[in-house]
Amino acid sequence: MNRSFTLLVVLSLLLLSCGAAGPTQAYQTDDTAAPSEVVKLIFIHHSTGENWLTDGYGNLGKTLGQNNYFVSDTNYGWGPNAIGDRTDIPDWPEWFASAETPTYMQALYTENGKHSTYTRTLPNPGGENRIIMFKSCFPNSDLSGKPDDPPTSEVGYTVGHAKYVYNTILQYFGQHTDKLFVVVTAPPLSDSTHAANARAFNNWLVYNWLWENNYQHGNVVVFDFYNVLTHSTYHHRFYDGEVQHIFGNHNTNYYPSSPGDDHPSVTGSRKATTEFVSLLNVYYQRWKDGARNVAFVANKYQDGWVLESGENSNQGGSLNNTASILYLGDNATNRQYRAILSFNTASLPDNAVIVSASLKVRQKSVLGTDPFKTHGNLVVDIRRGAFSNNPALQLGDFKAASSRVNVASVNKTAVNKWHNAGLLSAGFGHVNRTGITQFRLRFAKDDNNDNGADYRAFYSANSANKPALWITYYPAQP
């Protein structure tokens, strides 16, 4: 399989965890190695992309070459009907979903030229471009509307239409799985007027776009260029064995090239190069190995909340497995709520190598003090099989042994009201290929001792907004 990483056996982790049920699967970390053969890549862009590619500025072109990518690009004036002039978000359907798409794609796939100043020392390996990168420029971060607006076909620079565009072009990508399509988010503006909308839209691309469309192919990935450029401590990269997407509340350009000029600076562009190239290697290796996405929804007969019997008892006292909501936090007598989510993951192939897993729950309301502010992280424990060895919700699930504790933290920032918890790779081996996988959600701090109810309400599997588990995997090679 040309993989340089080490096969890690989760049994050693099992011995350190709290009584896991049954044997676990072995798991592998992602491969960050550059392609073993030269791979042709083309980048659709304008001035920001040109700076990013250029030697002595962003150094992206040269760095990609050092990682065995033969880089070509388009720029202003390129292609049939000068399609290269049009790279704003509302323009992408002309590229990927119009009557002219076959003409444009034939030109794009066979383009070998350089339209920016970067070093290219690799010989042309022949054949078509296999990786298609495309990016809009920073004016496309000026999206009006509201952060959670649904997709709309009404043309404009709005959150709703931007979602509509990406949903539309996804159909073409699904028909051409022999190509790897890399969406690069538009860089940020210094103007804060619509900055929150830009953040919400780009988070939607990273976390919800493919899942909302139940896109099962592994040939579409997102690099959050926007996020990388909004603060020095924000990242989208492969780091310490995990794909890391760290963001906060600073939503404007942290790296302008000069006052009044939102082209990213040399520093920002080079930061993006470092983070992007290692992440591209990971995404390429996944795609090459046949990555697939699959969504599971929670079982309404097996999920629910369990309330502690007393403030310090650490025992379940009451439960509810029929309500449409899950409570997490504490009640008026400082007793803790915990929730159980149950997924039938038996349809995963026995040889599935999981490389990404995200738990998703939709927020409903907050009562009292928001426990996200007072109760620490909302943490996730995993059980291969059922807590209490019974799939149905039990009082004992409140403290039953897990296969691994604290396998993820639920992100405090919702994306279209959905909170996401990306599982650590050490938890992948505990996802059951032969039956159910359960998760327990709990705040790290049991209560805040104020004798008032302080909880978050999330939708349960008994609602229309069922919790979901979104997994990316590839089949292990014999």
Side-chain angles (χ1 to χ4, degrees):
M1 242 191 341
N2 294 323
R3 288 192 167 270
S4 60
F5 51 80
T6 304
L7 181 65
L8 302 177
V9 180
V10 180
L11 181 59
S12 60
L13 297 172
L14 175 62
L15 297 175
L16 298 176
S17 64
C18 302
T24 58
Q25 299 285 332
Y27 73 90
Q28 294 171 310
T29 58
D30 270 302
D31 187 359
T32 60
S36 58
E37 59 184 10
V38 178
V39 176
K40 296 186 70 173
L41 175 154
I42 191 161
F43 184 17
I44 304 168
H45 67 84
H46 280 170
S47 55
T48 295
E50 182 173 356
N51 290 343
W52 193 18
L53 284 167
T54 296
D55 291 355
Y57 202 95
N59 293 328
L60 177 63
K62 179 170 63 176
T63 306
L64 285 170
Q66 292 166 349
N67 281 263
N68 239 9
Y69 299 100
F70 181 86
V71 180
S72 302
D73 67 310
T74 76
N75 210 325
Y76 291 102
W78 177 87
N81 302 322
I83 184 63
D85 285 343
R86 302 182 291 281
T87 63
D88 284 350
I89 290 173
D91 296 323
W92 294 129
E94 183 183 359
W95 285 78
F96 299 113
S98 75
E100 298 300 319
T101 294
T103 299
Y104 296 150
M105 292 300 103
Q106 175 64 25
L108 187 70
Y109 294 158
T110 57
E111 175 63 60
N112 295 316
K114 296 195 307 174
H115 295 86
S116 302
T117 307
Y118 54 92
T119 299
R120 190 170 68 177
T121 59
L122 292 172
N124 187 341
E128 294 186 342
N129 292 306
R130 299 176 64 196
I131 300 176
I132 314 301
M133 287 175 58
F134 62 100
K135 181 193 69 62
S136 298
C137 216
F138 50 79
N140 290 266
S141 288
D142 188 21
L143 298 175
S144 61
K146 298 179 181 179
D148 292 336
D149 279 349
T152 176
S153 60
E154 184 176 350
V155 178
Y157 290 81
T158 66
V159 172
H161 188 63
K163 291 178 180 178
Y164 175 85
V165 164
Y166 280 90
N167 286 346
T168 299
I169 64 178
L170 194 58
Q171 299 173 37
Y172 178 84
F173 303 157
Q175 296 166 0
H176 296 83
T177 56
D178 59 323
K179 307 294 185 185
L180 176 62
F181 294 92
V182 181
V183 175
V184 179
T185 61
L189 291 165
S190 296
D191 183 358
S192 64
T193 304
H194 293 135
N197 284 351
R199 171 68 68 190
F201 171 68
N202 292 320
N203 277 350
W204 176 82
L205 278 176
V206 172
Y207 291 102
N208 283 22
W209 174 41
L210 299 181
W211 167 66
E212 286 183 6
N213 286 276
N214 193 28
Y215 190 80
Q216 298 180 7
H217 308 291
N219 71 317
V220 178
V221 296
V222 177
F223 174 64
D224 200 352
F225 192 51
Y226 167 91
N227 181 58
V228 170
L229 297 170
T230 50
H231 201 272
S232 60
T233 62
Y234 297 172
H235 302 287
H236 195 194
R237 61 185 179 179
F238 190 80
Y239 181 77
D240 198 22
E242 312 283 347
V243 173
Q244 185 184 70
H245 186 256
I246 296 176
F247 64 93
N249 296 320
H250 192 277
N251 299 328
T252 54
N253 192 351
Y254 191 82
Y255 298 98
S257 56
S258 64
D261 187 344
D262 279 324
H263 287 88
S265 67
V266 170
T267 300
S269 297
R270 291 183 182 179
K271 177 192 177 193
T273 295
T274 299
E275 302 207 355
F276 172 69
V277 174
S278 64
L279 196 58
L280 177 63
N281 287 343
V282 167
Y283 288 154
Y284 170 79
Q285 297 290 359
R286 289 182 181 182
W287 171 65
K288 182 175 68 71
D289 286 333
R292 301 281 295 173
N293 302 313
V294 61
F296 300 95
V297 295
N299 187 321
K300 69 178 183 179
Y301 300 108
Q302 298 171 352
D303 84 342
W305 56 258
V306 183
L307 178 63
E308 193 177 15
S309 61
E311 179 180 1
N312 299 309
S313 71
N314 197 33
Q315 301 280 348
S318 58
L319 58 80
N320 190 313
N321 65 346
T322 60
S324 62
I325 55 177
L326 305 166
Y327 298 115
L328 287 162
D330 65 71
N331 74 352
T333 55
N334 297 329
R335 291 182 289 162
Q336 185 182 30
Y337 284 105
R338 297 183 175 186
I340 301 295
L341 301 178
S342 186
F343 300 90
N344 184 356
T345 49
S347 60
L348 276 172
D350 291 342
N351 66 342
V353 178
I354 297 173
V355 289
S356 176
S358 180
L359 190 66
K360 297 174 177 287
V361 290
R362 186 175 173 89
Q363 68 182 25
K364 183 180 186 296
S365 59
V366 180
L367 182 68
T369 302
D370 186 351
F372 270 130
K373 298 178 180 178
T374 56
H375 290 54
N377 291 331
L378 179 52
V379 300
V380 180
D381 305 327
I382 189 171
R383 174 83 174 193
R384 186 176 185 273
F387 290 102
S388 305
N389 297 313
N390 189 330
L393 189 67
Q394 305 289 308
L395 292 177
D397 293 347
F398 187 90
K399 72 166 189 178
S402 62
S403 298
R404 187 175 179 88
V405 299
N406 202 5
V407 75
S409 292
V410 176
N411 200 308
K412 297 179 182 180
T413 300
V415 179
N416 278 23
K417 299 184 178 179
W418 287 90
H419 290 265
N420 296 275
L423 271 63
L424 298 173
S425 59
F428 297 163
H430 299 292
V431 176
N432 198 350
R433 275 72 163 179
T434 60
I436 67 170
T437 303
Q438 290 193 336
F439 297 91
R440 180 170 55 216
L441 280 64
R442 56 185 173 83
F443 276 99
K445 186 176 180 181
D446 57 352
D447 66 83
N448 61 345
N449 289 310
D450 67 350
N451 292 313
D454 307 298
Y455 58 74
R456 278 255 177 174
F458 297 91
Y459 288 100
S460 78
N462 288 287
S463 73
N465 299 296
K466 300 179 187 298
L469 179 64
W470 178 247
I471 290 177
T472 300
Y473 71 93
Y474 65 82
Q477 302 298 317

